Amino acid sequence: MAPVSDPTVPDLPAVTREVEEFVAAGGWDQPPQLFALVPTAHLLAERPELADQLDPASTLTPIAQEPLPDGDLGAALATIMWPEVVAGCALTQEIVMLPPEAEAELPDGDTDTLGRVAASHPQAREARLVAAALRDGTVACVLRLRTPDPEVDEIVEHPGLADNLTTALYDTLRA
């Protein structure tokens, strides 16, 4: 017999995958996007007309937020405070990844300069990172590596993929 999941315990990795799939449907070259993670039961109680649009079996529903301001993502996140009804949040952003040996070769410089140098590196890989955090400190991350054939993008899931980002997201949830 398969174990029965507890419907009151959020499945953060599943919600994080859902956010990534939603954003992926819009293609690449998108700005960072922020999502509130709200208990589905609360949404259904407050807005019963959404019943045909929400999965009642899902403990959390991601809700896209207004676009983030251009500029420093960390500074933008530092200004965010969520109401109590928000159980967590998720952020998507496109990044450039380099192998560790290539990162070690990067010159010192500001973030913009480093970004340009990394993007032009022959070993650079584009990726979309989705990081999520809940008020209880649970985190999840999903990374989609861009490939020339969009049918075979590689997906990596691990809560430790973006420790600094998940910490910044968690900090937005602390009152």
Side-chain angles (χ1 to χ4, degrees), residues 19 22-23 30-39 43 47 61-69 73 76-77 79-83 85-92 131 135 169 172-173:
V19 168
F22 172 80
V23 173
Q30 296 184 49
Q33 295 178 49
L34 186 63
F35 294 80
L37 304 178
V38 179
L43 280 175
R47 305 270 315 266
T61 297
I63 301 173
Q65 302 299 294
E66 294 293 320
L68 292 164
L73 186 58
L77 290 176
T79 66
I80 295 171
M81 291 179 55
W82 298 100
V85 71
V86 174
C89 58
L91 179 102
T92 68
R135 287 189 186 276
L169 291 172
T172 69
L173 298 161

Side-chain angles (χ1 to χ4, degrees), residues 83-163:
E84 282 300 313
V85 71
V86 174
C89 58
L91 179 102
T92 68
Q93 69 174 346
E94 293 182 11
I95 61 173
V96 174
M97 293 179 44
L98 293 174
E101 61 276 4
E103 277 189 32
E105 297 171 3
L106 290 176
D108 290 333
D110 62 62
T111 305
D112 290 337
T113 302
L114 287 175
R116 283 193 300 276
V117 171
S120 66
H121 194 282
Q123 292 178 295
R125 292 195 65 191
E126 293 177 283
R128 178 181 301 109
L129 173 66
V130 181
L134 296 178
R135 287 189 186 276
D136 69 3
T138 303
V139 298
C141 294
V142 174
L143 182 77
R144 178 183 295 265
L145 294 161
R146 189 175 191 177
T147 63
D149 180 358
E151 299 298 317
V152 294
D153 284 350
E154 182 180 346
I155 306 288
V156 178
E157 290 186 54
H158 191 278
L161 287 175
D163 289 336

